[in-house]
């Protein structure tokens, strides 16, 4: 596992999306702005989590790409993760009869996200970056 990040990068580390990604996806700019606004609360949230004795990651990646994750976005995200313990937010799944009964805008993207996450290219990028996949029990 990587060592923890500095306090400046706690929660929602924001880096500019590569122009070839963001120029064709205006909705990502809206989500980026929302996440940038929420970043104001990151330091106080982290202090409260610490004071409560809870364990959590250093922050999250993938929120901006919710519902739009594809291989290009995944590669951009994986390429920008700093040292630390980070949560990758995504919603992979199968668009099956059970899911079709749930009201969510993310229904159609679940198959796409699962395919991206399980692709040989994604697995290779994770391996090349030396990223160790863990779950919350490992914190």
């Amino acid at each position: 596992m990587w060592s923890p990040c500095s306090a400046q990068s706690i929660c929602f580390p924001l880096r500019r999306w590569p122009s070839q990604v963001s120029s064709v996806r205006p909705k990502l700019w809206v989500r980026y702005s929302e996440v940038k606004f929420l970043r104001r609360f990151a330091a106080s949230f982290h202090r409260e989590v610490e004071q409560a004795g809870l364990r959590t990651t250093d922050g999250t990646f993938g929120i901006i790409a919710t519902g739009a994750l594809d291989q290009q976005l995944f590669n951009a995200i994986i390429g920008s993760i700093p040292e630390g313990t980070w949560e990758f937010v995504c919603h992979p799944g199968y668009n099956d009869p059970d899911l079709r009964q749930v009201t969510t805008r993310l229904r159609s993207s679940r198959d796409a996200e699962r395919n991206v996450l399980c692709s040989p290219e994604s697995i290779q990028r994770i391996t090349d970056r030396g990223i160790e996949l863990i779950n919350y029990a490992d914190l």
Side-chain angles (χ1 to χ4, degrees):
M1 200 174 310
W2 289 339
S3 62
C5 287
S6 65
Q8 292 87 350
S9 62
I10 292 171
C11 297
F12 309 124
L14 295 176
R15 291 179 166 70
R16 292 197 181 267
W17 290 100
S19 60
Q20 71 272 19
V21 173
S22 57
S23 64
V24 296
R25 298 170 190 223
K27 289 183 179 180
L28 291 181
W29 282 110
V30 172
R31 191 72 170 154
Y32 177 88
S33 298
E34 293 168 345
V35 170
K36 189 173 182 179
F37 173 78
L38 290 173
R39 190 169 190 218
R40 297 176 184 187
F41 307 104
S44 63
F45 173 77
H46 186 72
R47 278 192 302 276
E48 288 186 35
V49 166
E50 196 171 290
Q51 288 172 355
L54 301 172
R55 291 184 180 185
T56 189
T57 61
D58 294 319
T60 62
F61 279 91
I63 291 173
I64 296 169
T66 298
L69 187 69
D70 61 14
Q71 193 67 56
Q72 187 179 20
L73 281 174
F74 180 83
N75 293 347
I77 293 167
I78 291 300
S80 66
I81 296 176
E83 288 190 22
T85 303
W86 299 92
E87 177 182 4
F88 185 82
V89 177
C90 57
H91 303 87
Y94 294 93
N95 196 356
D96 59 16
D98 290 335
L99 184 60
R100 284 191 282 278
Q101 294 180 27
V102 177
T103 304
T104 175
R105 71 175 179 84
L106 301 175
R107 188 177 8 245
S108 63
S109 65
R110 299 203 184 234
D111 281 317
E113 289 192 7
R114 186 190 76 252
N115 290 333
V116 168
L117 294 170
C118 295
S119 75
E121 182 177 349
S122 295
I123 293 166
Q124 188 61 53
R125 288 195 181 262
I126 289 168
T127 301
D128 290 348
R129 288 288 321 273
I131 294 172
E132 178 185 354
L133 301 179
I134 64 169
N135 63 45
Y136 272 87
D138 296 326
L139 293 176

